[in-house]
Amino acid sequence: MGLVAKRVADKRLLKLIRGFLNAGAMEGGLVSPTEEGMPQGGPLSPLLSNLMLDVLDKELEKRGHRSVRYTDDCNIYVRSQRAGERVLVSIERFLEKRLKLKVNKAKSAVAKPSVRKFLGFSFSISSGTEPRRRIAPQALARFKAKVRALTRRTRGRSLAQIVKELSVYLIGWRSYFGFCQTPSVLRDLDQWLRRRLRAIVWKQWKRGSTRYAQLRRRGVGRHRAARTAGSPHGPWRLANSPALTIAMPNNFFASLGLASVMAQRRA
């Protein structure tokens, strides 16, 4: 009975996989058939990767290599550059001959863990200390690009609306990258975010008279408010000035509901 049930389950799984692969793709409101591959980001991709690459996991374990894999992204750790180059060639040969898989050579390389990234993370290594997880530079660049897109002036939204939409992204980003072991990076990002928002508000105030009035209303002294409102410097530089820091302190943004990438970090 158990064997029959397993065969029925296997058939259902194969039918589900086949249906997913043959589902087609929608372009311009029309569904066109797919002749190869699968939809990017679909749940079938990691499933098939694990089914196919389980053989690779066992081979690496058999050889005594330390490795980590997430779907089709795999890092193998060895003691030297020479050993890494040898293992890379050997594993490429294994994948191509045993599993009939083509290795993406453009994304494959031998380098130190501090140089390579894995799932958005890399490692910082200092003499005499344990390696620490850090956010990879590419992931930080994507973060800032996304924040810039969400805070573009041309979208014509109030500060409260910007903060609300931005916080949704920040909370999701924090739940993943808050796992890093470099809190100074998260603290710097929080400071960068608040500075960017101050620059946006400064641009929204537009005229010198409005800027002066807003600064005075928010507790900035008369002389400092006048000097800042009449400054020839751009919004980004002034966003880090004492006047704007007084007018819009950290607790001002917290009162608007701005999420922090530093808050609720996991150990």
Side-chain angles (χ1 to χ4, degrees):
M1 185 65 182
L3 182 59
V4 173
K6 183 179 182 302
R7 286 176 177 173
V8 171
D10 289 345
K11 287 182 179 179
R12 288 177 179 174
L13 178 60
L14 291 174
K15 184 177 180 181
L16 180 63
I17 292 174
R18 186 180 297 109
F20 199 98
L21 293 174
N22 295 332
M26 181 173 288
E27 296 181 41
L30 299 175
V31 178
S32 57
T34 51
E35 297 179 357
E36 62 179 3
M38 66 188 73
Q40 187 173 3
L44 188 59
S45 179
L47 172 62
L48 294 181
S49 293
N50 287 333
L51 289 173
M52 287 292 295
L53 296 177
D54 181 65
V55 178
L56 173 63
D57 295 339
K58 288 182 170 57
E59 179 67 17
L60 292 173
E61 185 178 353
K62 177 182 175 182
R63 297 185 186 189
H65 292 315
R66 294 183 178 183
S67 65
V68 59
R69 182 179 64 80
Y70 183 81
T71 64
D72 62 345
D73 194 354
C74 181
N75 280 12
I76 304 170
Y77 301 98
V78 294
R79 293 185 178 276
S80 66
Q81 178 79 17
R82 186 176 179 181
E85 292 170 355
R86 184 176 64 251
V87 170
L88 178 60
V89 172
S90 175
I91 292 302
E92 284 180 348
R93 188 184 304 117
F94 174 82
L95 289 170
E96 291 173 358
K97 290 188 175 181
R98 175 77 179 273
L99 298 179
K100 310 302 180 184
L101 296 175
K102 186 176 180 180
V103 176
N104 189 333
K105 297 185 183 296
K107 293 184 178 180
S108 302
V110 178
K112 294 181 179 179
S114 57
V115 176
R116 300 294 291 173
K117 67 180 181 68
F118 182 69
L119 304 179
F121 289 94
S122 60
F123 292 94
S124 61
I125 301 174
S126 301
S127 178
T129 62
E130 290 290 326
R132 295 189 301 167
R133 289 184 306 275
R134 68 183 180 97
I135 304 170
Q138 300 93 322
L140 290 174
R142 286 194 298 270
F143 171 83
K144 290 191 173 184
K146 179 65 175 180
V147 170
R148 290 188 182 100
L150 290 172
T151 56
R152 281 199 307 266
R153 274 195 311 148
T154 53
R155 302 183 72 186
R157 295 166 304 146
S158 67
L159 181 62
Q161 291 172 322
I162 292 172
V163 166
K164 183 178 180 179
E165 185 177 357
L166 182 60
S167 292
V168 172
Y169 172 69
L170 295 178
I171 291 171
W173 190 89
R174 180 184 70 203
S175 67
Y176 183 83
F177 285 103
F179 187 60
C180 76
Q181 295 175 308
T182 49
S184 61
V185 174
L186 300 179
R187 184 168 55 250
D188 290 346
L189 288 178
D190 269 341
Q191 293 174 354
W192 177 82
L193 282 165
R194 290 190 293 266
R195 183 175 179 180
R196 182 164 179 83
L197 292 175
R198 290 187 185 106
I200 290 170
V201 174
W202 188 248
K203 291 175 183 177
Q204 290 176 344
W205 288 345
K206 294 182 180 179
R207 298 164 59 174
S209 57
T210 303
R211 290 170 172 174
Y212 175 79
Q214 288 286 354
L215 291 175
R216 291 289 293 134
R217 186 168 67 84
R218 294 164 184 260
V220 181
R222 184 179 290 106
H223 176 69
R224 176 170 282 165
R227 186 175 59 189
T228 305
S231 173
H233 297 305
W236 179 249
R237 179 167 176 176
L238 289 175
N240 208 34
S241 67
L244 266 69
T245 304
I246 293 171
M248 290 173 279
N250 295 355
N251 58 13
F252 165 73
F253 293 109
S255 69
L256 292 176
L258 178 66
S260 167
V261 296
M262 273 289 294
Q264 300 178 5
R265 290 186 63 250
R266 297 191 294 271

